[in-house]
Amino acid sequence: MSPHKEEMKPLRTIYLALTSGVAMIFAIMVFLIKDEMHSDGKSVYFIAACCVVLSAIFISNKLFKAGLSKAAQNVSWKELDAFEDYRTKKIMQWTLIEGSTLVSLILMFLDENFLIAAPAFAGLVMLIFSHAREEEFNDHYHISESLD
């Protein structure tokens, strides 16, 4: 059983808001400092941005997959409870990636280093590819009929 279209709409709205917000901030920051940018691979900010974004991507995926594997072990999910659990896990994944991407953008703005756009772009791409999918929900949650 898949979540109803109405239950997926708020989750997709949150996802689109997070993703479009990061994309707009990325574009604005690049536009603001495009004339003064340089590229220095030895910058402390560049190294910090890479570490922050890559670790957030790794941690968010591990946490999300660990949560899904625990959810798959529960055989008596009610649909609403299962969807709330899935929604919580997705929002946690997105906010970890979004936060690290924004930190990377701030570091790019402070250092005016064009190379810092690369980890920020990687975070944005990961955010885009981590959208909510009904197939993912169906694969990991076993729904039992509610007694209502």
Side-chain angles (χ1 to χ4, degrees):
M1 183 179 288
S2 66
H4 301 290
K5 295 284 182 193
E6 293 301 315
E7 291 171 337
M8 266 315 232
K9 280 183 182 179
L11 187 59
R12 288 188 177 132
T13 302
I14 292 168
Y15 167 76
L16 289 173
L18 288 172
T19 306
S20 61
V22 170
M24 285 189 296
I25 291 171
F26 185 89
I28 289 168
M29 287 199 171
V30 168
F31 178 75
L32 287 175
I33 61 174
K34 69 180 178 192
D35 295 331
E36 296 139 15
M37 281 193 168
H38 66 279
S39 57
D40 180 15
K42 296 179 182 177
S43 168
V44 174
Y45 290 141
F46 175 70
I47 295 167
C50 287
C51 291
V52 167
V53 171
L54 293 176
S55 64
I57 289 171
F58 178 75
I59 290 170
S60 69
N61 280 335
K62 284 289 185 187
L63 288 174
F64 182 69
K65 289 179 181 179
L68 286 183
S69 65
K70 284 183 184 177
Q73 295 171 2
N74 186 352
V75 294
S76 61
W77 282 103
K78 292 184 180 174
E79 186 172 2
L80 185 60
D81 294 337
F83 189 73
E84 287 176 1
D85 186 67
Y86 178 73
R87 180 177 55 214
T88 302
K89 287 176 177 52
K90 286 308 279 188
I91 291 173
M92 283 178 38
Q93 181 186 31
W94 295 335
T95 54
L96 278 169
I97 296 169
E98 179 202 26
S100 68
T101 303
L102 291 177
V103 166
S104 180
L105 288 171
I106 290 168
L107 292 174
M108 180 186 72
F109 189 74
L110 291 174
D111 195 30
E112 296 176 348
N113 187 347
F114 186 68
L115 287 179
I116 300 177
F121 186 72
L124 180 60
V125 168
M126 184 62 193
L127 190 60
I128 290 169
F129 284 116
S130 67
H131 61 88
R133 293 181 294 275
E134 289 186 36
E135 305 83 39
E136 186 176 60
F137 176 81
N138 292 333
D139 290 345
H140 296 330
Y141 291 89
H142 307 287
I143 308 299
S144 66
E145 295 299 319
S146 64
L147 300 175
D148 296 330

